[in-house]
Each structure stands twice: as structure tokens, then as C-alpha cells.
Amino acid sequence: MKFQYNLDDATHDIKQASIAAFLSAAMSTLVIVVAIVTSAEGVFGPFADPINFIDVALVVACWVGLRFYSRTAAVTLVIYFILAKIFIMLENGRPSGLLFTMIWLYFYWKGIRGTFAYHRLRKEADSSYRSTPVSFYYFVIPVGGIVLSLIILGVSLFGLGMLAESGAFVSPEVTAGDKLSKSDLQLLLDEGIIRPDETVLYFYSTGLTSISDDGNLLTDKRVVSYERIEGVLEVYAANYEDVTEIIVVEEGNFIDDTIVEINTTDDDVFLLFLSALEEGDQTFINELRSRIPSKPAPVEQQKIRENEA
């Protein structure tokens, strides 16, 4: 006897796919929150990043779409799920969780089968049937637009990060010295910005594809800032023992850099510009302050002068 796929079967498949999507979003949220709270490392380290909530947002949007019998949501869910698994496989260098993947893919695929069959069967039963309900225009499309924007932002940030790691673009964040490329370190040496006996601890540049025009850095001996003005390289630097005051002139944010004023014993003043992304500015400033020798209090300074006299 030939199996007849009817409207109830289609609805059942869609419901199962939507439940799978909801469980996936809930489990991902739990893992991300725990990873962030516990500062997880190792296997769960990649989940300790709020940007992973973009993944959750997309799955939630597809779950909502499935509740509206959306074919677009069903197809998007399958494609995104496959691409995400391929990406994870490339990151780990090997496939993992294949059984879990096949189970989830089975239910997501039922969502595609169910949504397409649902609208076809409804159309066959009623020629005036509209496959897209009015509520779709007022709810799903706006939510989808927001989620799509978040995805584009996340992919853009991820892409910039990958390009920065490859050396094609300058990192938008404060970078540890051991993460600088050999070519960037060589440029700092060739331009006389650092000395051969120095080790770079932290570095930041506002440049897009090159660090040659400006930069701010800490070495194991000095704090340094440089900029190129009308083709001429200007380097401002102070040994740690010569720094008298560190003033945060302006707190940075996602867009603007933190501005720090450095005062020295020679009454020189220069500025540092530091990215606030991932609190890199605070890491830089804390390291700088930890290397400044503590200055004696005014009373102690007076006693020192009297003893010297």
C-alpha cells in the first residue's frame, strides 16, 4: 500500500524540526553562558565568546519561521547547520559528533519536506490559499532582518580577525608582542622605533593594512608612541623610570580609542591611542602602570634631600 503524505504528516514534520531548532538554541545558549562565566579553555574555549550568540539568534529566527511554516526558514536552517559543521571540522582538523550531526540533520531535513508539502497541499485544497500569512510581513521579516544584520556583523568581525591573523590587515585590537608578525617586528627595528635588545610586550596601531604610519607599544624597557607626519616619522618614548604620570584623557568604546597622556621627568608629554576592544586598553595600561617604579611621597622626598645634604 502506497504511503499517502497528508497535511497532518507535513505539520508533524514541521513541528519536529521546530522542536529540534529550539533545543539546539537552548543547548547552545547554556554552553555559551557556562563557557563565558567559567572562562572555559580547551574544547569549550571557543564558546566563551559572546559573538556565539549570533549563531543562537539565527537558529531562534529559523525556529520562529518554522512555527509560521516558512520554507525559507527550513532551508536556511539546513544550509547553516551544514556550513557550521564544516567550519567546526576545519577548525578542529577532523570530523566530530557525526552521530549527533546526522540526527539533527534528519529532523531539520524533515522541516524542509514538511514546509514544502504543507503549502503544496494547502494550495491543492484551496486555489485562493496564500502561502505567506500577513503575520509573516509584520513579525518574521523584521526579526529576520535584525538577525541577518547580526550575522553580517559577526562574519565581518570574524573575517577581519582572520585577515589580521594572516597579516593582510592590522589587528583592530591591542595585540600581545609575541603575536606580531615577523615583518611588523622587522619594520619596527628598521625604522628605529625599537632597539634590537628590546622585546615588545603589547602593540596597537590604527593602521588598516600597515603599521608604518602610527603605533603605540610597550617593550620590556620603554613605552613608545610614533606617528608619521608629512612623511617624517616622529617617535616619542620614555623609559619606565622616567614616567612621572599616566593620565587617561578619554575612555574609549567600540568605535573610539582610549587616549592616554604620558608625562616624563623631562616635562615631555605624549599621547597613546589604544583600542578598547576586548579591554585591550586596560591590559595595556595595567601593564604600563605595573612597570612604573613607585615614587616616594613628598615627605619621603624631603628626608632624602636632607640626608643627601
Side-chain angles (χ1 to χ4, degrees):
M1 181 177 178
K2 186 177 180 181
F3 173 72
Q4 295 293 324
Y5 192 79
N6 56 40
L7 201 60
D8 289 337
D9 297 322
T11 304
H12 180 71
D13 282 349
I14 296 170
K15 183 177 181 180
Q16 286 190 331
S18 68
I19 291 174
F22 177 81
L23 290 176
S24 175
M27 291 166 60
S28 296
T29 300
L30 179 62
V31 171
I32 295 168
V33 170
V34 172
I36 292 175
V37 171
T38 61
S39 300
E41 297 180 354
V43 177
F44 291 97
F47 293 98
D49 188 337
I51 201 171
N52 287 304
F53 283 116
I54 294 177
D55 172 83
V56 176
L58 176 62
V59 176
V60 168
C62 289
W63 166 67
V64 172
L66 283 169
R67 303 302 296 176
F68 284 90
Y69 309 105
S70 170
R71 290 165 291 192
T72 301
V75 173
T76 300
L77 192 59
V78 170
I79 293 175
Y80 179 72
F81 183 76
I82 293 173
L83 291 177
K85 293 304 176 184
I86 292 175
F87 174 78
I88 292 173
M89 183 184 69
L90 293 175
E91 282 282 292
N92 297 333
R94 58 183 176 81
S96 60
L98 290 179
L99 178 61
F100 179 84
T101 298
M102 295 306 297
I103 292 173
W104 239 252
L105 191 58
Y106 166 73
F107 285 110
Y108 288 165
W109 181 256
K110 291 184 76 172
I112 291 181
R113 183 178 69 174
T115 52
F116 276 84
Y118 177 86
H119 293 294
R120 176 177 55 79
L121 292 170
R122 289 291 302 274
K123 189 69 174 177
E124 289 176 355
D126 181 4
S127 59
S128 63
Y129 168 71
R130 291 182 57 183
S131 62
T132 304
V134 175
S135 55
F136 183 88
Y137 295 103
Y138 292 100
F139 182 75
V140 177
I141 289 181
V143 170
I146 293 172
V147 172
L148 181 60
S149 299
L150 290 173
I151 293 171
I152 293 173
L153 175 61
V155 170
S156 299
L157 291 175
F158 176 78
L160 286 174
M162 294 293 288
L163 288 171
E165 289 182 5
S166 68
F169 281 83
V170 176
S171 172
E173 305 172 0
V174 172
T175 305
D178 57 4
K179 300 296 184 181
L180 282 175
S181 66
K182 291 182 179 179
S183 60
D184 285 343
L185 285 173
Q186 191 60 50
L187 185 148
L188 295 174
L189 282 168
D190 293 343
E191 294 283 4
I193 298 168
I194 62 173
R195 299 188 293 256
D197 62 338
E198 287 183 298
T199 300
V200 178
L201 304 177
Y202 290 102
F203 178 85
Y204 172 66
S205 172
T206 62
L208 181 61
T209 59
S210 173
I211 67 169
S212 62
D213 288 337
D214 74 84
N216 312 265
L217 60 144
L218 294 181
T219 74
D220 55 342
K221 296 179 172 62
R222 301 180 300 159
V223 53
V224 183
S225 177
Y226 66 90
E227 61 179 340
R228 197 175 299 276
I229 303 175
E230 296 181 358
V232 179
L233 183 67
E234 301 287 347
V235 180
Y236 318 97
N239 295 329
Y240 293 123
E241 60 269 20
D242 295 329
V243 176
T244 59
E245 195 172 15
I246 303 167
I247 303 172
V248 178
V249 178
E250 183 177 324
E251 293 283 356
N253 50 48
F254 182 76
I255 299 175
D256 298 319
D257 290 337
T258 294
I259 302 175
V260 180
E261 179 182 301
I262 303 297
N263 294 289
T264 72
T265 53
D266 297 328
D267 293 328
D268 289 334
V269 178
F270 62 91
L271 299 176
L272 302 173
F273 293 85
L274 306 169
S275 169
L277 296 177
E278 300 294 329
E279 297 186 349
D281 55 342
Q282 299 305 313
T283 301
F284 191 107
I285 293 169
N286 290 339
E287 181 67 28
L288 171 58
R289 284 177 171 156
S290 71
R291 290 178 174 271
I292 303 302
S294 58
K295 302 293 189 296
V299 175
E300 295 174 340
Q301 291 178 345
Q302 182 64 30
K303 289 182 178 179
I304 292 172
R305 295 194 191 97
E306 290 175 356
N307 292 334
E308 290 177 349

PDB file of all heavy atoms in Angstrom, residues 212-234:
ATOM      1  N   SER A 212      53.075  51.166   9.603  1.00  0.00           N
ATOM      2  CA  SER A 212      54.178  52.095   9.375  1.00  0.00           C
ATOM      3  C   SER A 212      53.839  53.545   9.723  1.00  0.00           C
ATOM      4  O   SER A 212      54.741  54.331  10.039  1.00  0.00           O
ATOM      5  CB  SER A 212      54.629  52.031   7.910  1.00  0.00           C
ATOM      6  OG  SER A 212      53.578  52.427   7.044  1.00  0.00           O
ATOM      7  N   ASP A 213      52.555  53.912   9.706  1.00  0.00           N
ATOM      8  CA  ASP A 213      52.203  55.318   9.907  1.00  0.00           C
ATOM      9  C   ASP A 213      51.969  55.700  11.361  1.00  0.00           C
ATOM     10  O   ASP A 213      52.096  56.873  11.720  1.00  0.00           O
ATOM     11  CB  ASP A 213      50.953  55.670   9.091  1.00  0.00           C
ATOM     12  CG  ASP A 213      51.254  55.733   7.602  1.00  0.00           C
ATOM     13  OD1 ASP A 213      52.421  55.949   7.248  1.00  0.00           O
ATOM     14  OD2 ASP A 213      50.325  55.530   6.801  1.00  0.00           O
ATOM     15  N   ASP A 214      51.598  54.761  12.202  1.00  0.00           N
ATOM     16  CA  ASP A 214      51.427  55.078  13.624  1.00  0.00           C
ATOM     17  C   ASP A 214      51.409  53.800  14.443  1.00  0.00           C
ATOM     18  O   ASP A 214      51.155  52.708  13.918  1.00  0.00           O
ATOM     19  CB  ASP A 214      50.142  55.876  13.865  1.00  0.00           C
ATOM     20  CG  ASP A 214      48.898  55.015  13.760  1.00  0.00           C
ATOM     21  OD1 ASP A 214      48.554  54.384  14.768  1.00  0.00           O
ATOM     22  OD2 ASP A 214      48.285  54.986  12.672  1.00  0.00           O
ATOM     23  N   GLY A 215      51.687  53.954  15.732  1.00  0.00           N
ATOM     24  CA  GLY A 215      51.671  52.793  16.614  1.00  0.00           C
ATOM     25  C   GLY A 215      51.912  53.194  18.056  1.00  0.00           C
ATOM     26  O   GLY A 215      52.444  54.281  18.335  1.00  0.00           O
ATOM     27  N   ASN A 216      51.511  52.330  18.959  1.00  0.00           N
ATOM     28  CA  ASN A 216      51.691  52.538  20.395  1.00  0.00           C
ATOM     29  C   ASN A 216      52.125  51.212  20.980  1.00  0.00           C
ATOM     30  O   ASN A 216      51.490  50.183  20.711  1.00  0.00           O
ATOM     31  CB  ASN A 216      50.382  52.982  21.043  1.00  0.00           C
ATOM     32  CG  ASN A 216      49.703  54.119  20.284  1.00  0.00           C
ATOM     33  OD1 ASN A 216      49.866  55.279  20.608  1.00  0.00           O
ATOM     34  ND2 ASN A 216      48.926  53.778  19.253  1.00  0.00           N
ATOM     35  N   LEU A 217      53.183  51.209  21.764  1.00  0.00           N
ATOM     36  CA  LEU A 217      53.687  49.936  22.237  1.00  0.00           C
ATOM     37  C   LEU A 217      54.400  50.019  23.575  1.00  0.00           C
ATOM     38  O   LEU A 217      54.878  51.090  23.984  1.00  0.00           O
ATOM     39  CB  LEU A 217      54.624  49.307  21.208  1.00  0.00           C
ATOM     40  CG  LEU A 217      55.880  50.096  20.829  1.00  0.00           C
ATOM     41  CD1 LEU A 217      57.039  49.149  20.597  1.00  0.00           C
ATOM     42  CD2 LEU A 217      55.634  50.920  19.568  1.00  0.00           C
ATOM     43  N   LEU A 218      54.430  48.869  24.237  1.00  0.00           N
ATOM     44  CA  LEU A 218      55.234  48.693  25.436  1.00  0.00           C
ATOM     45  C   LEU A 218      56.306  47.664  25.128  1.00  0.00           C
ATOM     46  O   LEU A 218      56.028  46.637  24.502  1.00  0.00           O
ATOM     47  CB  LEU A 218      54.375  48.167  26.590  1.00  0.00           C
ATOM     48  CG  LEU A 218      53.275  49.060  27.158  1.00  0.00           C
ATOM     49  CD1 LEU A 218      52.577  48.330  28.292  1.00  0.00           C
ATOM     50  CD2 LEU A 218      53.834  50.380  27.637  1.00  0.00           C
ATOM     51  N   THR A 219      57.528  47.959  25.531  1.00  0.00           N
ATOM     52  CA  THR A 219      58.587  46.962  25.453  1.00  0.00           C
ATOM     53  C   THR A 219      58.967  46.607  26.891  1.00  0.00           C
ATOM     54  O   THR A 219      58.372  47.111  27.842  1.00  0.00           O
ATOM     55  CB  THR A 219      59.814  47.496  24.699  1.00  0.00           C
ATOM     56  OG1 THR A 219      60.531  48.428  25.536  1.00  0.00           O
ATOM     57  CG2 THR A 219      59.407  48.186  23.402  1.00  0.00           C
ATOM     58  N   ASP A 220      59.957  45.757  27.046  1.00  0.00           N
ATOM     59  CA  ASP A 220      60.383  45.422  28.397  1.00  0.00           C
ATOM     60  C   ASP A 220      61.184  46.548  29.041  1.00  0.00           C
ATOM     61  O   ASP A 220      61.545  46.466  30.215  1.00  0.00           O
ATOM     62  CB  ASP A 220      61.211  44.135  28.381  1.00  0.00           C
ATOM     63  CG  ASP A 220      62.400  44.219  27.426  1.00  0.00           C
ATOM     64  OD1 ASP A 220      62.389  45.110  26.540  1.00  0.00           O
ATOM     65  OD2 ASP A 220      63.332  43.407  27.556  1.00  0.00           O
ATOM     66  N   LYS A 221      61.430  47.649  28.269  1.00  0.00           N
ATOM     67  CA  LYS A 221      62.224  48.759  28.798  1.00  0.00           C
ATOM     68  C   LYS A 221      61.533  50.120  28.710  1.00  0.00           C
ATOM     69  O   LYS A 221      61.801  51.011  29.517  1.00  0.00           O
ATOM     70  CB  LYS A 221      63.564  48.848  28.057  1.00  0.00           C
ATOM     71  CG  LYS A 221      64.466  47.633  28.256  1.00  0.00           C
ATOM     72  CD  LYS A 221      65.753  47.809  27.452  1.00  0.00           C
ATOM     73  CE  LYS A 221      66.743  46.691  27.786  1.00  0.00           C
ATOM     74  NZ  LYS A 221      66.236  45.347  27.440  1.00  0.00           N
ATOM     75  N   ARG A 222      60.620  50.296  27.724  1.00  0.00           N
ATOM     76  CA  ARG A 222      60.074  51.637  27.483  1.00  0.00           C
ATOM     77  C   ARG A 222      58.619  51.592  27.056  1.00  0.00           C
ATOM     78  O   ARG A 222      58.094  50.538  26.674  1.00  0.00           O
ATOM     79  CB  ARG A 222      60.866  52.336  26.366  1.00  0.00           C
ATOM     80  CG  ARG A 222      62.338  52.517  26.606  1.00  0.00           C
ATOM     81  CD  ARG A 222      62.977  53.229  25.399  1.00  0.00           C
ATOM     82  NE  ARG A 222      62.810  52.464  24.166  1.00  0.00           N
ATOM     83  CZ  ARG A 222      62.882  52.989  22.939  1.00  0.00           C
ATOM     84  NH1 ARG A 222      63.081  54.292  22.775  1.00  0.00           N
ATOM     85  NH2 ARG A 222      62.741  52.222  21.865  1.00  0.00           N
ATOM     86  N   VAL A 223      57.978  52.776  27.122  1.00  0.00           N
ATOM     87  CA  VAL A 223      56.681  52.989  26.500  1.00  0.00           C
ATOM     88  C   VAL A 223      56.942  53.885  25.298  1.00  0.00           C
ATOM     89  O   VAL A 223      57.665  54.886  25.389  1.00  0.00           O
ATOM     90  CB  VAL A 223      55.676  53.639  27.472  1.00  0.00           C
ATOM     91  CG1 VAL A 223      56.217  54.916  28.097  1.00  0.00           C
ATOM     92  CG2 VAL A 223      54.348  53.924  26.755  1.00  0.00           C
ATOM     93  N   VAL A 224      56.362  53.525  24.153  1.00  0.00           N
ATOM     94  CA  VAL A 224      56.698  54.202  22.893  1.00  0.00           C
ATOM     95  C   VAL A 224      55.428  54.518  22.105  1.00  0.00           C
ATOM     96  O   VAL A 224      54.484  53.724  22.080  1.00  0.00           O
ATOM     97  CB  VAL A 224      57.620  53.328  22.015  1.00  0.00           C
ATOM     98  CG1 VAL A 224      58.029  54.075  20.742  1.00  0.00           C
ATOM     99  CG2 VAL A 224      58.841  52.869  22.794  1.00  0.00           C
ATOM    100  N   SER A 225      55.431  55.694  21.474  1.00  0.00           N
ATOM    101  CA  SER A 225      54.378  56.063  20.535  1.00  0.00           C
ATOM    102  C   SER A 225      55.050  56.682  19.323  1.00  0.00           C
ATOM    103  O   SER A 225      56.062  57.388  19.461  1.00  0.00           O
ATOM    104  CB  SER A 225      53.414  57.069  21.175  1.00  0.00           C
ATOM    105  OG  SER A 225      52.434  57.480  20.228  1.00  0.00           O
ATOM    106  N   TYR A 226      54.512  56.399  18.144  1.00  0.00           N
ATOM    107  CA  TYR A 226      55.104  57.000  16.945  1.00  0.00           C
ATOM    108  C   TYR A 226      54.014  57.332  15.938  1.00  0.00           C
ATOM    109  O   TYR A 226      52.930  56.748  15.948  1.00  0.00           O
ATOM    110  CB  TYR A 226      56.152  56.070  16.311  1.00  0.00           C
ATOM    111  CG  TYR A 226      55.592  54.784  15.753  1.00  0.00           C
ATOM    112  CD1 TYR A 226      55.159  54.686  14.428  1.00  0.00           C
ATOM    113  CD2 TYR A 226      55.506  53.646  16.546  1.00  0.00           C
ATOM    114  CE1 TYR A 226      54.663  53.506  13.910  1.00  0.00           C
ATOM    115  CE2 TYR A 226      54.994  52.455  16.044  1.00  0.00           C
ATOM    116  CZ  TYR A 226      54.583  52.384  14.726  1.00  0.00           C
ATOM    117  OH  TYR A 226      54.075  51.214  14.219  1.00  0.00           O
ATOM    118  N   GLU A 227      54.309  58.302  15.083  1.00  0.00           N
ATOM    119  CA  GLU A 227      53.393  58.693  14.010  1.00  0.00           C
ATOM    120  C   GLU A 227      54.190  59.288  12.868  1.00  0.00           C
ATOM    121  O   GLU A 227      55.280  59.848  13.066  1.00  0.00           O
ATOM    122  CB  GLU A 227      52.365  59.697  14.530  1.00  0.00           C
ATOM    123  CG  GLU A 227      52.959  60.991  15.053  1.00  0.00           C
ATOM    124  CD  GLU A 227      51.899  61.956  15.545  1.00  0.00           C
ATOM    125  OE1 GLU A 227      50.733  61.813  15.148  1.00  0.00           O
ATOM    126  OE2 GLU A 227      52.251  62.874  16.310  1.00  0.00           O
ATOM    127  N   ARG A 228      53.652  59.156  11.693  1.00  0.00           N
ATOM    128  CA  ARG A 228      54.317  59.717  10.508  1.00  0.00           C
ATOM    129  C   ARG A 228      53.564  60.975  10.091  1.00  0.00           C
ATOM    130  O   ARG A 228      52.389  60.921   9.753  1.00  0.00           O
ATOM    131  CB  ARG A 228      54.334  58.694   9.372  1.00  0.00           C
ATOM    132  CG  ARG A 228      55.332  59.020   8.262  1.00  0.00           C
ATOM    133  CD  ARG A 228      55.359  57.895   7.238  1.00  0.00           C
ATOM    134  NE  ARG A 228      55.772  56.638   7.828  1.00  0.00           N
ATOM    135  CZ  ARG A 228      57.044  56.279   8.009  1.00  0.00           C
ATOM    136  NH1 ARG A 228      58.024  57.112   7.661  1.00  0.00           N
ATOM    137  NH2 ARG A 228      57.337  55.110   8.546  1.00  0.00           N
ATOM    138  N   ILE A 229      54.254  62.116  10.140  1.00  0.00           N
ATOM    139  CA  ILE A 229      53.656  63.400   9.808  1.00  0.00           C
ATOM    140  C   ILE A 229      54.318  63.946   8.548  1.00  0.00           C
ATOM    141  O   ILE A 229      55.519  64.229   8.539  1.00  0.00           O
ATOM    142  CB  ILE A 229      53.824  64.414  10.968  1.00  0.00           C
ATOM    143  CG1 ILE A 229      53.208  63.855  12.255  1.00  0.00           C
ATOM    144  CG2 ILE A 229      53.181  65.750  10.603  1.00  0.00           C
ATOM    145  CD1 ILE A 229      53.437  64.731  13.458  1.00  0.00           C
ATOM    146  N   GLU A 230      53.531  64.063   7.484  1.00  0.00           N
ATOM    147  CA  GLU A 230      54.028  64.544   6.190  1.00  0.00           C
ATOM    148  C   GLU A 230      55.278  63.784   5.765  1.00  0.00           C
ATOM    149  O   GLU A 230      56.269  64.368   5.312  1.00  0.00           O
ATOM    150  CB  GLU A 230      54.310  66.050   6.252  1.00  0.00           C
ATOM    151  CG  GLU A 230      53.053  66.875   6.493  1.00  0.00           C
ATOM    152  CD  GLU A 230      53.337  68.373   6.520  1.00  0.00           C
ATOM    153  OE1 GLU A 230      54.516  68.755   6.399  1.00  0.00           O
ATOM    154  OE2 GLU A 230      52.379  69.151   6.639  1.00  0.00           O
ATOM    155  N   GLY A 231      55.222  62.463   5.957  1.00  0.00           N
ATOM    156  CA  GLY A 231      56.318  61.609   5.516  1.00  0.00           C
ATOM    157  C   GLY A 231      57.460  61.467   6.501  1.00  0.00           C
ATOM    158  O   GLY A 231      58.368  60.655   6.277  1.00  0.00           O
ATOM    159  N   VAL A 232      57.452  62.256   7.575  1.00  0.00           N
ATOM    160  CA  VAL A 232      58.538  62.208   8.561  1.00  0.00           C
ATOM    161  C   VAL A 232      58.069  61.426   9.785  1.00  0.00           C
ATOM    162  O   VAL A 232      57.029  61.723  10.368  1.00  0.00           O
ATOM    163  CB  VAL A 232      58.968  63.630   8.983  1.00  0.00           C
ATOM    164  CG1 VAL A 232      60.075  63.559  10.028  1.00  0.00           C
ATOM    165  CG2 VAL A 232      59.435  64.419   7.756  1.00  0.00           C
ATOM    166  N   LEU A 233      58.842  60.420  10.191  1.00  0.00           N
ATOM    167  CA  LEU A 233      58.487  59.594  11.330  1.00  0.00           C
ATOM    168  C   LEU A 233      58.896  60.273  12.633  1.00  0.00           C
ATOM    169  O   LEU A 233      60.057  60.627  12.823  1.00  0.00           O
ATOM    170  CB  LEU A 233      59.166  58.232  11.236  1.00  0.00           C
ATOM    171  CG  LEU A 233      58.809  57.230  12.339  1.00  0.00           C
ATOM    172  CD1 LEU A 233      57.345  56.820  12.231  1.00  0.00           C
ATOM    173  CD2 LEU A 233      59.709  55.997  12.267  1.00  0.00           C
ATOM    174  N   GLU A 234      57.940  60.479  13.506  1.00  0.00           N
ATOM    175  CA  GLU A 234      58.195  61.063  14.828  1.00  0.00           C
ATOM    176  C   GLU A 234      57.994  59.968  15.874  1.00  0.00           C
ATOM    177  O   GLU A 234      56.955  59.321  15.909  1.00  0.00           O
ATOM    178  CB  GLU A 234      57.243  62.222  15.102  1.00  0.00           C
ATOM    179  CG  GLU A 234      57.326  63.372  14.102  1.00  0.00           C
ATOM    180  CD  GLU A 234      58.599  64.199  14.284  1.00  0.00           C
ATOM    181  OE1 GLU A 234      59.280  64.032  15.324  1.00  0.00           O
ATOM    182  OE2 GLU A 234      58.898  65.014  13.380  1.00  0.00           O
TER     183      GLU A 234
END
